[in-house]
Amino acid sequence: MNPMEEANIWFAEAHDEGVALTFKITNHLFSKKSAHQRIDIFETLSYGKMLVLDGRVQLTEKDEFIYHEMLVHIPMLHHPAPRRVLIIGGGDGGAAKEAVKHDVESVTVVEIDEDVVRAAKEYLPFTASAYDDPRVHLHIGDGVQFIEQSDEKYDVVLVDSTDPIGPAEMLFAGEFYGKLKRVLNPGAVVAIQAGSPWYSGDVTAKSYRLLRESFRDVRIYLAPIPTYPAGMWSFIMASDAEMGEPRPITFSTRYITDDVMRGAFALPRFLLEALEG
Ligand code: SAM
């Protein structure tokens, strides 16, 4: 047995004052206080490698595919022919890895923290391999500044950010959604990760209301993510075009199917009530 495994070391993320999810750690591979956040990469006994930012689990090797497939493919398949994709956040490469499964011309990743990208390239090749694809371009900088200054236009914009505390706070603000318009091609589809509807239904509901102020067609969908708080996560997709039926899936996936895609838009009563609230 390796000494760390024997030492019985556990990482806990508190989900509220009385609940935490704990992982048995077999190796602490990387730790750094970057200019933006604390970055840790652990080897866990049950979920493989795990990226943690400021004490919050961002992804694990075992279940990242659920989050990334759901964030990326649902909006991509609701666009008739997405060619140019912008990912804000997502420095681990996981969203880009899914985006290049489509017939895209370019995928631009705008990540504020270069250290997340460096660490992912070294320890998380199962997501960071996306950077080997010549269509994937990395821009280190703040997503808000990028959309204020960019002259480029995109068919799909994905906000794969940390939660709205710290550097990601502005990515959840109403002004940001309004500004996004400047980088959108006609008919573009936007999708954001919108937090845990169980623990922060208010954040999900607020993002939904703000997106509705800026876009014509706005829809929430959910996915079960074992290592995220409450195991249930929300996403919001928005467009100024009326989004019709999604195109069928024609590439290999491990989670999403055409039926999963349809079912993901069914929302539980408590969330519908938070949206009305
Ligand atoms: N799947 C994750 C989740 O919801 O737990 C998100 C993962 S990804 C690692 C989030 C990334 O967003 C982080 O690397 C963080 O540095 C980046 N980020 C936060 N604020 C940002 C901003 N304003 N502009 C660009 N990237 C940002």
Side-chain angles (χ1 to χ4, degrees), residues 5-272:
E5 196 176 332
E6 215 168 350
N8 200 25
I9 295 169
W10 294 72
F11 165 85
E13 178 185 345
H15 291 170
D16 69 21
E17 55 287 357
V19 171
L21 183 61
T22 57
F23 298 83
K24 184 160 184 176
I25 302 305
T26 53
N27 211 345
H28 195 172
L29 298 167
F30 179 85
S31 188
K32 180 170 182 176
K33 180 100 189 62
S34 76
H36 302 280
Q37 55 214 335
R38 186 190 161 94
I39 306 169
D40 287 288
I41 299 180
F42 297 103
E43 181 77 48
T44 68
L45 185 67
S46 305
Y47 276 85
K49 298 201 174 49
M50 177 166 82
L51 172 66
V52 176
L53 297 178
D54 285 337
R56 305 181 77 91
V57 175
Q58 302 294 309
L59 64 83
T60 78
E61 189 169 1
K62 192 164 174 184
D63 73 345
E64 61 77 25
F65 68 98
I66 307 178
Y67 173 88
H68 291 124
E69 288 185 12
M70 293 297 276
L71 172 68
V72 175
H73 299 312
I74 291 195
M76 296 284 284
L77 292 166
H78 279 81
H79 187 285
R83 299 282 293 151
R84 293 173 53 76
V85 179
L86 173 64
I87 297 168
I88 295 175
D92 50 76
K97 153 190 76 105
E98 296 301 325
V100 294
K101 290 182 180 172
H102 296 254
D103 182 21
V104 291
E105 174 190 302
S106 69
V107 174
T108 303
V109 178
V110 179
E111 164 61 58
I112 203 166
D113 194 340
E114 192 167 17
D115 285 317
V116 170
V117 178
R118 280 208 200 103
K121 284 185 174 168
E122 185 157 359
Y123 297 104
L124 311 172
F126 51 90
T127 53
S129 60
Y131 292 113
D132 298 338
D133 189 305
R135 295 169 295 172
V136 176
H137 307 287
L138 174 65
H139 174 97
I140 298 296
D142 177 16
V144 179
Q145 247 175 41
F146 183 88
I147 62 152
E148 283 170 352
Q149 292 165 3
S150 173
D151 296 325
E152 304 288 328
K153 303 255 190 247
Y154 301 90
D155 302 314
V156 170
V157 177
L158 305 168
V159 181
D160 181 16
S161 68
T162 35
D163 294 334
I165 336 151
E169 194 177 346
M170 290 309 291
L171 299 175
F172 288 81
E175 309 89 82
F176 173 70
Y177 300 140
K179 284 176 194 161
L180 262 181
K181 296 275 176 104
R182 2 183 356 264
V183 301
L184 300 182
N185 274 328
V189 179
V190 171
I192 69 166
Q193 72 91 352
S196 162
W198 180 253
Y199 282 115
S200 51
D202 53 331
V203 172
T204 314
K206 185 172 165 218
S207 302
Y208 178 71
R209 277 195 286 276
L210 290 173
L211 280 162
R212 282 192 47 168
E213 285 169 17
S214 297
F215 292 91
R216 255 181 67 201
D217 189 356
V218 182
R219 305 184 198 175
I220 298 189
Y221 60 94
L222 303 179
I225 318 242
T227 58
Y228 282 2
M232 177 197 260
W233 213 247
S234 71
F235 303 84
I236 309 176
M237 175 173 85
S239 179
D240 273 336
E242 194 61 48
M243 292 176 283
E245 284 295 302
R247 291 177 293 113
I249 297 165
T250 52
F251 41 85
S252 84
T253 62
R254 288 176 64 207
Y255 181 73
I256 196 169
T257 64
D258 294 327
D259 281 344
V260 163
M261 183 154 48
R262 264 187 289 279
F265 292 90
L267 304 182
R269 175 77 52 212
F270 73 83
L271 179 56
L272 292 171

